[in-house]
Amino acid sequence: QPDLVERLISVDISPGTTAPVSEFTAYIAAMESLKIPDGLPRSAARQLADDQLRPVVPLPQLRQFLLTNLVEVEGRYVWRVNLEAISHHLADIMNFPVFHKPYPGPALFLAGSKSPYISSKDYPEIQRLFPKADIQYIEGAGHIVHQDKFEEFVTAVLRFLPPP
Protein backbone atom coordinates (compact mmCIF):
# COMPACT_ATOMS: atom_id res chain seq x y z
CA GLN A 1 0.00 0.00 0.00
CA PRO A 2 2.41 2.67 -1.20
CA ASP A 3 -0.19 5.38 -0.69
CA LEU A 4 0.29 4.94 3.08
CA VAL A 5 4.02 5.74 2.90
CA GLU A 6 5.14 9.28 2.11
CA ARG A 7 8.80 8.33 1.80
CA LEU A 8 10.89 5.32 2.72
CA ILE A 9 14.30 4.80 4.32
CA SER A 10 16.02 1.41 4.16
CA VAL A 11 19.05 1.15 6.40
CA ASP A 12 21.73 -1.24 5.18
CA ILE A 13 19.49 -3.81 3.57
CA SER A 14 18.64 -4.30 -0.08
CA PRO A 15 15.44 -5.64 -1.64
CA GLY A 16 16.92 -8.97 -2.56
CA THR A 17 17.74 -12.29 -1.05
CA THR A 18 20.43 -12.02 1.58
CA ALA A 19 22.74 -14.98 1.74
CA PRO A 20 22.33 -16.73 5.07
CA VAL A 21 24.80 -15.29 7.52
CA SER A 22 26.04 -18.16 9.66
CA GLU A 23 27.25 -15.78 12.35
CA PHE A 24 23.68 -14.84 13.21
CA THR A 25 22.88 -18.41 14.25
CA ALA A 26 26.02 -18.45 16.41
CA TYR A 27 25.14 -15.06 17.92
CA ILE A 28 21.67 -16.26 18.86
CA ALA A 29 23.06 -19.47 20.37
CA ALA A 30 25.58 -17.46 22.41
CA MET A 31 22.84 -15.12 23.63
CA GLU A 32 20.62 -18.05 24.60
CA SER A 33 23.42 -19.76 26.54
CA LEU A 34 24.31 -16.69 28.62
CA LYS A 35 24.69 -17.44 32.34
CA ILE A 36 24.14 -14.45 34.62
CA PRO A 37 23.47 -14.97 38.34
CA ASP A 38 20.31 -13.37 39.67
CA GLY A 39 20.60 -10.13 41.61
CA LEU A 40 23.80 -8.78 40.01
CA PRO A 41 24.01 -5.02 39.55
CA ARG A 42 23.31 -4.01 35.96
CA SER A 43 26.90 -2.96 35.23
CA ALA A 44 28.28 -6.29 36.49
CA ALA A 45 25.65 -8.24 34.54
CA ARG A 46 26.44 -6.39 31.31
CA GLN A 47 30.19 -6.94 31.81
CA LEU A 48 29.66 -10.66 32.45
CA ALA A 49 27.41 -10.92 29.38
CA ASP A 50 29.98 -9.02 27.30
CA ASP A 51 32.71 -11.41 28.46
CA GLN A 52 30.59 -14.46 27.59
CA LEU A 53 29.64 -13.14 24.14
CA ARG A 54 33.19 -12.04 23.20
CA PRO A 55 34.40 -15.45 21.86
CA VAL A 56 31.48 -15.63 19.42
CA VAL A 57 30.90 -11.92 18.75
CA PRO A 58 34.37 -10.40 18.39
CA LEU A 59 33.30 -6.89 17.34
CA PRO A 60 32.79 -4.73 20.45
CA GLN A 61 30.25 -2.49 18.67
CA LEU A 62 28.12 -5.50 17.74
CA ARG A 63 28.29 -6.90 21.29
CA GLN A 64 27.23 -3.53 22.69
CA PHE A 65 24.34 -3.42 20.23
CA LEU A 66 23.21 -6.92 21.25
CA LEU A 67 23.54 -6.01 24.93
CA THR A 68 21.05 -3.17 24.51
CA ASN A 69 18.47 -5.99 24.51
CA LEU A 70 19.56 -7.43 27.87
CA VAL A 71 17.09 -6.25 30.49
CA GLU A 72 16.47 -6.90 34.18
CA VAL A 73 13.08 -8.34 35.09
CA GLU A 74 12.43 -9.00 38.77
CA GLY A 75 16.14 -9.41 39.57
CA ARG A 76 16.87 -11.69 36.59
CA TYR A 77 18.51 -10.74 33.31
CA VAL A 78 16.62 -11.76 30.18
CA TRP A 79 16.63 -10.83 26.52
CA ARG A 80 14.02 -8.28 25.49
CA VAL A 81 13.85 -9.86 22.03
CA ASN A 82 12.30 -13.25 21.36
CA LEU A 83 15.41 -15.24 20.49
CA GLU A 84 13.45 -18.44 19.88
CA ALA A 85 11.22 -16.76 17.29
CA ILE A 86 14.19 -15.07 15.64
CA SER A 87 16.06 -18.38 15.52
CA HIS A 88 13.12 -20.25 13.98
CA HIS A 89 12.42 -17.54 11.39
CA LEU A 90 15.93 -16.34 10.53
CA ALA A 91 15.60 -17.36 6.87
CA ASP A 92 12.40 -15.32 6.56
CA ILE A 93 13.97 -12.35 8.33
CA MET A 94 16.98 -12.44 6.02
CA ASN A 95 14.88 -12.38 2.85
CA PHE A 96 13.09 -9.43 1.34
CA PRO A 97 9.47 -10.16 0.34
CA VAL A 98 8.79 -10.51 -3.37
CA PHE A 99 7.12 -7.43 -4.82
CA HIS A 100 6.22 -6.85 -8.44
CA LYS A 101 4.78 -3.34 -8.26
CA PRO A 102 7.32 -0.57 -7.62
CA TYR A 103 7.03 1.94 -4.81
CA PRO A 104 6.60 5.32 -6.55
CA GLY A 105 7.68 7.61 -3.70
CA PRO A 106 11.09 8.86 -2.64
CA ALA A 107 13.32 6.21 -1.08
CA LEU A 108 16.71 6.40 0.59
CA PHE A 109 18.92 3.33 0.81
CA LEU A 110 21.47 4.22 3.46
CA ALA A 111 24.36 1.79 3.79
CA GLY A 112 27.56 1.42 5.75
CA SER A 113 30.63 1.48 3.52
CA LYS A 114 32.10 -1.45 5.49
CA SER A 115 28.93 -3.55 5.23
CA PRO A 116 28.20 -6.13 2.50
CA TYR A 117 24.42 -5.76 2.61
CA ILE A 118 24.03 -3.22 -0.21
CA SER A 119 26.36 -3.55 -3.16
CA SER A 120 26.36 -2.57 -6.83
CA LYS A 121 24.83 -5.95 -7.70
CA ASP A 122 21.69 -4.80 -5.81
CA TYR A 123 21.30 -1.56 -7.76
CA PRO A 124 19.13 -2.96 -10.60
CA GLU A 125 16.59 -4.45 -8.18
CA ILE A 126 16.60 -1.30 -6.03
CA GLN A 127 15.95 0.81 -9.14
CA ARG A 128 13.24 -1.57 -10.39
CA LEU A 129 11.31 -1.54 -7.12
CA PHE A 130 12.18 2.00 -6.00
CA PRO A 131 12.61 4.14 -9.15
CA LYS A 132 13.12 7.31 -7.08
CA ALA A 133 15.74 5.69 -4.85
CA ASP A 134 18.86 7.46 -3.72
CA ILE A 135 21.61 5.09 -2.57
CA GLN A 136 24.10 6.58 -0.13
CA TYR A 137 27.00 5.11 1.83
CA ILE A 138 28.22 6.38 5.16
CA GLU A 139 31.99 6.13 5.13
CA GLY A 140 33.48 3.96 7.87
CA ALA A 141 30.14 2.53 9.05
CA GLY A 142 29.38 -1.16 9.24
CA HIS A 143 25.97 -2.82 9.26
CA ILE A 144 24.79 -1.00 12.39
CA VAL A 145 25.05 2.35 10.64
CA HIS A 146 23.25 4.41 13.29
CA GLN A 147 25.57 3.15 16.02
CA ASP A 148 28.83 3.29 14.07
CA LYS A 149 28.37 6.80 12.66
CA PHE A 150 25.47 8.34 14.56
CA GLU A 151 25.91 11.98 13.51
CA GLU A 152 26.41 11.13 9.85
CA PHE A 153 23.38 8.81 9.99
CA VAL A 154 21.12 11.49 11.51
CA THR A 155 22.39 14.09 9.04
CA ALA A 156 21.59 11.83 6.07
CA VAL A 157 18.12 11.03 7.42
CA LEU A 158 17.31 14.68 8.13
CA ARG A 159 18.49 15.69 4.65
CA PHE A 160 16.10 13.14 3.16
CA LEU A 161 13.05 14.04 5.26
CA PRO A 162 10.94 17.04 4.27
CA PRO A 163 11.33 20.17 6.41
CA PRO A 164 8.77 20.42 9.25
Side-chain angles (χ1 to χ4, degrees):
Q1 296 181 355
D3 53 313
L4 297 178
V5 179
E6 180 182 327
R7 52 188 58 226
L8 179 139
I9 300 174
S10 173
V11 180
D12 208 50
I13 195 73
S14 67
T17 300
T18 302
V21 179
S22 61
E23 291 89 12
F24 288 175
T25 303
Y27 298 164
I28 292 167
M31 292 167 73
E32 288 175 326
S33 68
L34 219 61
K35 304 274 189 279
I36 300 175
D38 293 351
L40 275 185
R42 182 166 191 230
S43 60
R46 282 183 62 94
Q47 184 58 56
L48 184 58
D50 188 52
D51 293 344
Q52 290 179 40
L53 291 175
R54 186 174 291 113
V56 179
V57 186
L59 287 174
Q61 304 94 318
L62 182 53
R63 282 196 314 278
Q64 291 308 306
F65 176 72
L66 294 175
L67 288 172
T68 63
N69 291 289
L70 186 65
V71 295
E72 183 183 2
V73 176
E74 297 176 5
R76 297 183 62 231
Y77 287 90
V78 297
W79 293 105
R80 178 187 350 241
V81 294
N82 185 337
L83 293 175
E84 183 178 353
I86 292 170
S87 177
H88 285 110
H89 299 282
L90 194 55
D92 296 324
I93 293 168
M94 296 301 294
N95 287 316
F96 194 86
V98 176
F99 290 105
H100 300 287
K101 186 177 176 184
Y103 169 71
L108 172 63
F109 282 76
L110 194 54
S113 68
K114 292 181 173 180
S115 173
Y117 290 102
I118 297 179
S119 72
S120 59
K121 72 175 178 51
D122 300 309
Y123 294 176
E125 186 66 357
I126 291 171
Q127 291 301 316
R128 182 183 77 78
L129 289 172
F130 304 92
K132 293 183 182 174
D134 181 18
I135 303 167
Q136 296 178 19
Y137 290 86
I138 294 184
E139 191 60 40
H143 180 59
I144 310 171
V145 182
H146 65 281
Q147 181 181 14
D148 292 350
K149 296 288 182 172
F150 180 77
E151 288 181 22
E152 294 89 336
F153 173 82
V154 170
T155 298
V157 167
L158 290 176
R159 256 190 266 129
F160 177 73
L161 296 176

